[in-house]
Amino acid sequence: MTRRFPFLDHRTRTAIAHRGGALEAEENTLPAFAHAVELGYTHVELDVHATRDGVVVIHHDPTLERMTGDSRAIADLDWADLRRIRTHGGNEIPRLEALLEEYPDLFINIEAKSDAVVTPLAALIERMGVVARIGVGSFRQSRTEQLLARLGEKLCWSPAHIPVVALWLRGWG
């Protein structure tokens, strides 16, 4: 029996706006995702971390340095502190929940960038009932495995690098 995932179940090829379309707007910001949606994208890719108090935020790096000039780590800040920090372009670091609420038809491929984000990410997906709109992955297979264990077989997921290489090598055998 073949499982079907709404995240992947489309009649044509699907373009995914990486970090919301980072070449046209500041990556992983609400304006980037808004621009992607305006262009007709149905899928976006983004990265998530968790604040010290467990808020899932959209950001690629573990620190704010590259995007804001602030050298602190996201994991060391509470949401109340992080929400006041702006990127070089004046944008806030968005909560994943805000994006999910703003675009209820958008499919989102999420990379869990830290171990600390796994539990709050799974809780958010469960609470909002959005598992059908989500695809997850991580460079650390254990993060994906934890999300799959918590969210079940309805979760669309991708393996990390080593399992992908193993599958590729099996094709040569």
Side-chain angles (χ1 to χ4, degrees):
M1 181 172 137
T2 302
R3 283 187 283 169
R4 297 188 68 106
F5 299 98
F7 182 84
L8 298 174
D9 197 10
H10 303 279
R11 293 176 190 225
T12 61
R13 290 185 179 102
T14 301
I16 299 177
H18 184 249
R19 298 185 197 170
L23 293 178
E24 298 181 12
E26 277 189 311
E27 68 181 53
N28 282 328
T29 62
L30 291 179
F33 299 118
H35 184 66
V37 169
E38 287 171 17
L39 290 174
Y41 282 85
T42 58
H43 290 63
V44 297
E45 181 275 345
L46 53 81
D47 312 283
V48 293
H49 285 277
T51 61
R52 181 172 46 205
D53 54 347
V55 175
V56 180
V57 297
I58 304 169
H59 197 73
H60 181 272
D61 305 337
T63 72
L64 299 166
E65 180 72 33
R66 181 173 60 88
M67 295 295 295
T68 71
D70 187 321
S71 63
R72 292 179 289 177
I74 291 170
D76 293 337
L77 297 168
D78 289 326
W79 171 245
D81 298 321
L82 182 60
R83 72 185 305 178
R84 291 190 289 264
I85 298 170
R86 296 293 179 262
T87 64
H88 297 299
N91 295 297
E92 65 181 28
I93 307 300
R95 293 175 303 119
L96 177 59
E97 183 172 3
L99 181 67
L100 289 164
E101 288 172 345
E102 182 73 21
Y103 301 101
D105 297 324
L106 189 63
F107 291 93
I108 303 173
N109 187 54
I110 300 170
E111 183 176 344
K113 297 297 268 186
S114 69
D115 292 339
V117 77
V118 172
T119 297
L121 174 59
L124 176 64
I125 292 168
E126 283 178 324
R127 181 173 53 79
M128 295 188 74
V130 294
V131 73
R133 296 172 45 199
I134 303 296
V136 298
S138 177
F139 285 110
R140 294 243 175 112
Q141 185 69 22
S142 62
R143 293 177 190 151
T144 305
E145 289 169 353
Q146 289 173 43
L147 288 163
L148 186 58
R150 169 101 181 242
L151 298 170
E153 291 187 7
K154 290 184 179 180
L155 179 67
C156 184
W157 61 279
S158 64
H161 287 98
I162 292 173
V164 168
V165 170
L167 284 171
W168 183 76
L169 290 172
R170 272 195 286 186
W172 287 93

